[in-house]
mmCIF file of all heavy atoms in Angstrom:
data_model
loop_
_atom_site.group_PDB
_atom_site.id
_atom_site.type_symbol
_atom_site.label_atom_id
_atom_site.label_comp_id
_atom_site.label_asym_id
_atom_site.label_seq_id
_atom_site.Cartn_x
_atom_site.Cartn_y
_atom_site.Cartn_z
ATOM 1 N N ALA P 211 -102.916 26.533 216.334
ATOM 2 C CA ALA P 211 -101.651 26.910 215.695
ATOM 3 C C ALA P 211 -101.463 26.121 214.410
ATOM 4 O O ALA P 211 -101.055 26.683 213.355
ATOM 5 C CB ALA P 211 -100.508 26.612 216.636
ATOM 6 N N SER P 212 -101.818 24.864 214.412
ATOM 7 C CA SER P 212 -101.756 24.049 213.180
ATOM 8 C C SER P 212 -102.731 24.559 212.087
ATOM 9 O O SER P 212 -102.418 24.584 210.922
ATOM 10 C CB SER P 212 -102.054 22.577 213.498
ATOM 11 O OG SER P 212 -101.149 22.084 214.429
ATOM 12 N N GLU P 213 -103.919 24.903 212.537
ATOM 13 C CA GLU P 213 -104.937 25.428 211.642
ATOM 14 C C GLU P 213 -104.421 26.683 210.965
ATOM 15 O O GLU P 213 -104.579 26.874 209.713
ATOM 16 C CB GLU P 213 -106.231 25.780 212.413
ATOM 17 C CG GLU P 213 -107.310 26.422 211.595
ATOM 18 C CD GLU P 213 -108.526 26.888 212.415
ATOM 19 O OE1 GLU P 213 -108.693 26.314 213.516
ATOM 20 O OE2 GLU P 213 -109.240 27.759 211.971
ATOM 21 N N ASN P 214 -103.819 27.595 211.716
ATOM 22 C CA ASN P 214 -103.314 28.819 211.084
ATOM 23 C C ASN P 214 -102.078 28.559 210.196
ATOM 24 O O ASN P 214 -101.887 29.305 209.246
ATOM 25 C CB ASN P 214 -103.028 29.833 212.205
ATOM 26 C CG ASN P 214 -104.241 30.553 212.712
ATOM 27 O OD1 ASN P 214 -104.720 31.490 212.077
ATOM 28 N ND2 ASN P 214 -104.754 30.114 213.844
ATOM 29 N N SER P 215 -101.326 27.538 210.554
ATOM 30 C CA SER P 215 -100.234 27.146 209.642
ATOM 31 C C SER P 215 -100.784 26.650 208.320
ATOM 32 O O SER P 215 -100.254 27.012 207.247
ATOM 33 C CB SER P 215 -99.361 26.045 210.309
ATOM 34 O OG SER P 215 -98.686 26.551 211.457
ATOM 35 N N SER P 216 -101.838 25.858 208.386
ATOM 36 C CA SER P 216 -102.491 25.338 207.179
ATOM 37 C C SER P 216 -103.089 26.524 206.376
ATOM 38 O O SER P 216 -102.987 26.560 205.162
ATOM 39 C CB SER P 216 -103.558 24.323 207.531
ATOM 40 O OG SER P 216 -104.151 23.788 206.346
ATOM 41 N N ARG P 217 -103.729 27.448 207.103
ATOM 42 C CA ARG P 217 -104.312 28.599 206.440
ATOM 43 C C ARG P 217 -103.250 29.496 205.791
ATOM 44 O O ARG P 217 -103.429 30.028 204.658
ATOM 45 C CB ARG P 217 -105.153 29.408 207.409
ATOM 46 C CG ARG P 217 -105.846 30.594 206.806
ATOM 47 C CD ARG P 217 -106.862 31.277 207.750
ATOM 48 N NE ARG P 217 -107.989 30.405 208.021
ATOM 49 C CZ ARG P 217 -108.248 29.874 209.204
ATOM 50 N NH1 ARG P 217 -107.450 30.115 210.262
ATOM 51 N NH2 ARG P 217 -109.301 29.144 209.381
ATOM 52 N N LEU P 218 -102.147 29.668 206.479
ATOM 53 C CA LEU P 218 -101.040 30.426 205.974
ATOM 54 C C LEU P 218 -100.512 29.825 204.640
ATOM 55 O O LEU P 218 -100.261 30.549 203.672
ATOM 56 C CB LEU P 218 -99.891 30.535 206.957
ATOM 57 C CG LEU P 218 -98.669 31.375 206.578
ATOM 58 C CD1 LEU P 218 -99.047 32.796 206.297
ATOM 59 C CD2 LEU P 218 -97.624 31.289 207.687
ATOM 60 N N ALA P 219 -100.323 28.483 204.648
ATOM 61 C CA ALA P 219 -99.867 27.852 203.442
ATOM 62 C C ALA P 219 -100.898 28.007 202.283
ATOM 63 O O ALA P 219 -100.541 28.249 201.133
ATOM 64 C CB ALA P 219 -99.610 26.341 203.729
ATOM 65 N N ALA P 220 -102.197 27.832 202.658
ATOM 66 C CA ALA P 220 -103.211 28.029 201.609
ATOM 67 C C ALA P 220 -103.228 29.470 201.076
ATOM 68 O O ALA P 220 -103.399 29.693 199.857
ATOM 69 C CB ALA P 220 -104.571 27.693 202.219
ATOM 70 N N MET P 221 -103.025 30.447 201.943
ATOM 71 C CA MET P 221 -103.014 31.826 201.492
ATOM 72 C C MET P 221 -101.770 32.133 200.609
ATOM 73 O O MET P 221 -101.835 32.930 199.686
ATOM 74 C CB MET P 221 -103.073 32.788 202.680
ATOM 75 C CG MET P 221 -104.412 32.765 203.437
ATOM 76 S SD MET P 221 -105.825 33.179 202.393
ATOM 77 C CE MET P 221 -106.526 31.558 202.080
ATOM 78 N N GLN P 222 -100.655 31.481 200.985
ATOM 79 C CA GLN P 222 -99.463 31.716 200.151
ATOM 80 C C GLN P 222 -99.663 31.144 198.743
ATOM 81 O O GLN P 222 -99.255 31.756 197.773
ATOM 82 C CB GLN P 222 -98.253 31.013 200.845
ATOM 83 C CG GLN P 222 -97.780 31.755 202.091
ATOM 84 C CD GLN P 222 -96.731 30.971 202.881
ATOM 85 O OE1 GLN P 222 -96.652 29.754 202.766
ATOM 86 N NE2 GLN P 222 -95.926 31.680 203.622
ATOM 87 N N ALA P 223 -100.300 29.980 198.683
ATOM 88 C CA ALA P 223 -100.581 29.422 197.329
ATOM 89 C C ALA P 223 -101.595 30.313 196.590
ATOM 90 O O ALA P 223 -101.434 30.546 195.387
ATOM 91 C CB ALA P 223 -101.125 27.995 197.483
ATOM 92 N N ALA P 224 -102.601 30.781 197.285
ATOM 93 C CA ALA P 224 -103.584 31.690 196.668
ATOM 94 C C ALA P 224 -102.956 32.945 196.200
ATOM 95 O O ALA P 224 -103.265 33.498 195.129
ATOM 96 C CB ALA P 224 -104.709 31.949 197.640
ATOM 97 N N GLU P 225 -102.042 33.485 196.973
ATOM 98 C CA GLU P 225 -101.364 34.761 196.656
ATOM 99 C C GLU P 225 -100.578 34.593 195.336
ATOM 100 O O GLU P 225 -100.621 35.488 194.468
ATOM 101 C CB GLU P 225 -100.436 35.177 197.804
ATOM 102 C CG GLU P 225 -99.754 36.547 197.547
ATOM 103 C CD GLU P 225 -98.869 36.955 198.718
ATOM 104 O OE1 GLU P 225 -98.243 36.038 199.307
ATOM 105 O OE2 GLU P 225 -98.823 38.135 199.019
ATOM 106 N N LYS P 226 -99.865 33.436 195.218
ATOM 107 C CA LYS P 226 -99.088 33.209 194.022
ATOM 108 C C LYS P 226 -100.026 33.103 192.777
ATOM 109 O O LYS P 226 -99.717 33.669 191.723
ATOM 110 C CB LYS P 226 -98.276 31.930 194.166
ATOM 111 C CG LYS P 226 -97.366 31.676 192.973
ATOM 112 C CD LYS P 226 -96.537 30.413 193.169
ATOM 113 C CE LYS P 226 -95.574 30.197 192.013
ATOM 114 N NZ LYS P 226 -96.218 30.203 190.711
ATOM 115 N N ASN P 227 -101.130 32.400 192.962
ATOM 116 C CA ASN P 227 -102.062 32.276 191.818
ATOM 117 C C ASN P 227 -102.663 33.595 191.443
ATOM 118 O O ASN P 227 -102.808 33.858 190.208
ATOM 119 C CB ASN P 227 -103.214 31.296 192.218
ATOM 120 C CG ASN P 227 -102.729 29.866 192.370
ATOM 121 O OD1 ASN P 227 -101.729 29.471 191.729
ATOM 122 N ND2 ASN P 227 -103.425 29.081 193.147
ATOM 123 N N ILE P 228 -102.978 34.446 192.447
ATOM 124 C CA ILE P 228 -103.538 35.753 192.118
ATOM 125 C C ILE P 228 -102.478 36.610 191.442
ATOM 126 O O ILE P 228 -102.806 37.331 190.458
ATOM 127 C CB ILE P 228 -104.043 36.454 193.431
ATOM 128 C CG1 ILE P 228 -105.227 35.677 193.971
ATOM 129 C CG2 ILE P 228 -104.425 37.891 193.145
ATOM 130 C CD1 ILE P 228 -105.644 36.088 195.356
ATOM 131 N N GLU P 229 -101.219 36.582 191.881
ATOM 132 C CA GLU P 229 -100.184 37.350 191.259
ATOM 133 C C GLU P 229 -99.967 36.947 189.815
ATOM 134 O O GLU P 229 -99.757 37.746 188.931
ATOM 135 C CB GLU P 229 -98.887 37.279 192.072
ATOM 136 C CG GLU P 229 -98.968 38.011 193.409
ATOM 137 C CD GLU P 229 -97.746 37.722 194.271
ATOM 138 O OE1 GLU P 229 -96.982 36.836 193.922
ATOM 139 O OE2 GLU P 229 -97.604 38.406 195.309
ATOM 140 N N ASP P 230 -100.031 35.635 189.585
ATOM 141 C CA ASP P 230 -99.905 35.099 188.218
ATOM 142 C C ASP P 230 -101.053 35.610 187.322
ATOM 143 O O ASP P 230 -100.854 36.035 186.184
ATOM 144 C CB ASP P 230 -99.852 33.586 188.192
ATOM 145 C CG ASP P 230 -98.583 33.026 188.819
ATOM 146 O OD1 ASP P 230 -97.623 33.790 188.988
ATOM 147 O OD2 ASP P 230 -98.574 31.815 189.133
ATOM 148 N N ARG P 231 -102.246 35.564 187.880
ATOM 149 C CA ARG P 231 -103.412 36.043 187.181
ATOM 150 C C ARG P 231 -103.353 37.516 186.879
ATOM 151 O O ARG P 231 -103.733 38.004 185.808
ATOM 152 C CB ARG P 231 -104.702 35.702 187.965
ATOM 153 C CG ARG P 231 -105.980 36.219 187.423
ATOM 154 C CD ARG P 231 -106.329 35.550 186.080
ATOM 155 N NE ARG P 231 -107.606 35.920 185.627
ATOM 156 C CZ ARG P 231 -108.078 35.720 184.385
ATOM 157 N NH1 ARG P 231 -107.249 35.169 183.482
ATOM 158 N NH2 ARG P 231 -109.309 36.082 184.017
ATOM 159 N N LEU P 232 -102.898 38.282 187.909
ATOM 160 C CA LEU P 232 -102.765 39.730 187.720
ATOM 161 C C LEU P 232 -101.737 40.029 186.625
ATOM 162 O O LEU P 232 -101.980 40.978 185.781
ATOM 163 C CB LEU P 232 -102.294 40.401 189.045
ATOM 164 C CG LEU P 232 -103.397 40.840 190.011
ATOM 165 C CD1 LEU P 232 -102.779 41.287 191.295
ATOM 166 C CD2 LEU P 232 -104.209 41.977 189.404
ATOM 167 N N GLY P 233 -100.665 39.321 186.592
ATOM 168 C CA GLY P 233 -99.662 39.535 185.531
ATOM 169 C C GLY P 233 -100.242 39.300 184.182
ATOM 170 O O GLY P 233 -99.993 40.089 183.202
ATOM 171 N N GLU P 234 -101.053 38.225 184.071
ATOM 172 C CA GLU P 234 -101.698 37.886 182.754
ATOM 173 C C GLU P 234 -102.674 39.019 182.406
ATOM 174 O O GLU P 234 -102.697 39.454 181.218
ATOM 175 C CB GLU P 234 -102.396 36.556 182.931
ATOM 176 C CG GLU P 234 -103.149 36.152 181.651
ATOM 177 C CD GLU P 234 -104.013 34.933 181.888
ATOM 178 O OE1 GLU P 234 -103.790 34.228 182.886
ATOM 179 O OE2 GLU P 234 -104.943 34.734 181.062
ATOM 180 N N LEU P 235 -103.497 39.460 183.332
ATOM 181 C CA LEU P 235 -104.508 40.482 183.024
ATOM 182 C C LEU P 235 -103.854 41.797 182.660
ATOM 183 O O LEU P 235 -104.315 42.480 181.727
ATOM 184 C CB LEU P 235 -105.424 40.672 184.253
ATOM 185 C CG LEU P 235 -106.429 39.558 184.534
ATOM 186 C CD1 LEU P 235 -107.128 39.787 185.865
ATOM 187 C CD2 LEU P 235 -107.471 39.472 183.372
ATOM 188 N N ARG P 236 -102.766 42.182 183.370
ATOM 189 C CA ARG P 236 -102.080 43.424 183.069
ATOM 190 C C ARG P 236 -101.430 43.400 181.678
ATOM 191 O O ARG P 236 -101.439 44.410 180.952
ATOM 192 C CB ARG P 236 -101.095 43.748 184.148
ATOM 193 C CG ARG P 236 -101.693 44.238 185.479
ATOM 194 C CD ARG P 236 -100.728 44.245 186.605
ATOM 195 N NE ARG P 236 -101.342 44.751 187.802
ATOM 196 C CZ ARG P 236 -100.867 44.531 189.028
ATOM 197 N NH1 ARG P 236 -99.763 43.791 189.205
ATOM 198 N NH2 ARG P 236 -101.499 45.012 190.093
ATOM 199 N N THR P 237 -100.862 42.227 181.323
ATOM 200 C CA THR P 237 -100.308 42.123 180.006
ATOM 201 C C THR P 237 -101.400 42.244 178.870
ATOM 202 O O THR P 237 -101.189 42.984 177.899
ATOM 203 C CB THR P 237 -99.634 40.731 179.839
ATOM 204 O OG1 THR P 237 -98.567 40.617 180.828
ATOM 205 C CG2 THR P 237 -99.029 40.549 178.468
ATOM 206 N N ARG P 238 -102.526 41.589 179.110
ATOM 207 C CA ARG P 238 -103.627 41.709 178.150
ATOM 208 C C ARG P 238 -104.163 43.150 178.088
ATOM 209 O O ARG P 238 -104.516 43.640 177.009
ATOM 210 C CB ARG P 238 -104.733 40.743 178.532
ATOM 211 C CG ARG P 238 -104.413 39.303 178.190
ATOM 212 C CD ARG P 238 -105.276 38.305 178.926
ATOM 213 N NE ARG P 238 -106.685 38.566 178.684
ATOM 214 C CZ ARG P 238 -107.656 37.927 179.366
ATOM 215 N NH1 ARG P 238 -107.326 37.017 180.304
ATOM 216 N NH2 ARG P 238 -108.912 38.197 179.141
#
């Protein structure tokens, strides 16, 4: 359960980074 909590937090951070990157790419 703790492992999946850590993975969930890591995926949330990754999702935000990807969304930021997508916004930058779409603007370009």
Side-chain angles (χ1 to χ4, degrees):
S212 301
E213 175 188 339
N214 280 280
S215 294
S216 183
R217 182 172 291 115
L218 181 60
M221 292 302 102
Q222 287 171 337
E225 184 179 38
K226 184 179 183 306
N227 291 334
I228 293 170
E229 288 172 350
D230 291 343
R231 176 64 172 165
L232 269 172
E234 177 189 343
L235 288 172
R236 284 168 179 161
T237 299
R238 285 162 54 188

